[in-house]
Amino acid sequence: MKKDLDRQTLYESVKSLVENESKHILLAQPKLFTLFSIAFQYLLYRSTKEPGDYIIRIEDSMLANKLTRKAKDEITRKFMNKILLPRKLKYEKSCFYLDFFHIGSWAITKELKQNRIKGALVVKNTSFNPLIDNNLNMTDEDETDEVSESSQSIELPENFFVTSLTHFVPKTITIAYGAEIEGLEPINFGFIKPEEDFELPSDVKISSSVDLDSLK
């Protein structure tokens, strides 16, 4: 794609994550699709050096589909396209698992042996409290009785969608625009500039067919 991240920038960005010694990283800059490509490529690289199980946890299936279409490199798009339906994909000596923020989708990943899980990538969209929002909107096919009943009977801790992983996963990367999450080390990429707020004149209207995300 014409708007894909150039290879050199992608390589240098992944390299900076490889060289970073923080166990739990937060990417809070704009450019969601760019950050996802960088973080995913890092996870893919790590999986070749430290074989094991890797978790990709995305806020919901709608965001997962969007990332599959709009990630900024072809390898990431193809990989996501293959893992979407089975939500499990083997890559060399490692295995990747896809789940979402609603606890009912954790049926597979919660059964993994913790000592085999080597890394996780968590991607938050824009919901204020995405874990609760997604649990309230679970479909029958997404949830299991055991997990859904327990999630309704307890009050979940703040940011549980990621903190449920950081206490035992040795390396996590969380993408959450503008967020500050305790225990996560913020990392910024110099080529990504801060978003500037702008206001359209009152007489200007934007067509509903325009994808505002593409303007970032």
Side-chain angles (χ1 to χ4, degrees):
M1 294 179 66
K2 292 182 179 179
K3 295 183 180 180
D4 276 2
L5 199 59
D6 69 86
R7 291 185 179 183
Q8 185 63 28
T9 301
L10 181 58
Y11 169 79
E12 292 176 355
S13 301
V14 172
K15 184 173 181 288
S16 69
L17 293 180
V18 171
E19 295 174 346
N20 190 286
E21 297 182 355
S22 301
K23 292 183 178 179
H24 306 298
I25 292 174
L26 173 65
L27 305 181
Q29 292 177 282
K31 304 292 184 181
L32 170 63
F33 307 124
T34 294
L35 292 176
F36 183 71
S37 276
I38 295 170
F40 177 79
Q41 285 293 334
Y42 165 79
L43 210 66
L44 206 60
Y45 172 81
R46 182 180 174 88
S47 73
T48 64
K49 302 301 180 182
E50 296 189 43
D53 292 333
Y54 287 81
I55 295 173
I56 302 173
R57 177 168 293 173
I58 299 174
E59 184 166 325
D60 52 38
S61 58
M62 184 179 298
L63 180 59
N65 279 290
K66 200 169 186 180
L67 291 168
T68 301
R69 292 184 287 109
K70 297 190 175 186
K72 294 302 181 179
D73 73 286
E74 186 176 7
I75 292 175
T76 299
R77 292 192 295 270
K78 287 183 176 180
F79 192 102
M80 286 299 298
N81 189 58
K82 290 181 179 179
I83 200 175
L84 274 180
L85 186 58
R87 288 173 41 194
K88 175 182 177 181
L89 190 62
K90 187 173 179 58
Y91 179 75
E92 294 190 3
K93 296 181 180 179
S94 295
C95 197
F96 285 74
Y97 297 85
L98 173 66
D99 65 21
F100 305 106
F101 281 18
H102 60 70
I103 296 181
S105 70
W106 301 0
I108 298 177
T109 51
K110 75 184 184 69
E111 297 297 334
L112 299 176
K113 294 181 179 180
Q114 291 189 0
N115 62 354
R116 269 195 54 82
I117 301 177
K118 304 300 182 181
L121 170 57
V122 180
V123 189
K124 178 183 179 297
N125 198 2
T126 56
S127 298
F128 176 71
N129 200 337
L131 186 57
I132 293 177
D133 292 345
N134 279 285
N135 278 308
L136 291 175
N137 291 297
M138 283 190 294
T139 62
D140 292 339
E141 62 183 14
D142 286 333
E143 64 178 325
T144 60
D145 292 338
E146 177 185 354
V147 179
S148 62
E149 289 177 4
S150 63
S151 67
Q152 294 172 8
S153 63
I154 62 174
E155 183 176 347
L156 298 171
E158 185 179 11
N159 299 319
F160 190 63
F161 57 88
V162 62
T163 60
S164 59
L165 297 172
T166 53
H167 73 282
F168 71 92
V169 179
K171 189 79 173 187
T172 68
I173 297 181
T174 300
I175 301 175
Y177 174 62
E180 295 181 4
I181 301 177
E182 186 177 357
L184 274 58
E185 181 71 22
I187 300 296
N188 291 327
F189 299 105
F191 72 93
I192 297 180
K193 305 303 179 184
E195 285 189 321
E196 296 183 359
D197 294 331
F198 65 93
E199 186 173 335
L200 290 173
S202 58
D203 60 338
V204 175
K205 296 182 180 180
I206 299 178
S207 169
S208 59
S209 63
V210 174
D211 183 359
L212 294 178
D213 287 333
S214 67
L215 301 178
K216 294 183 178 180

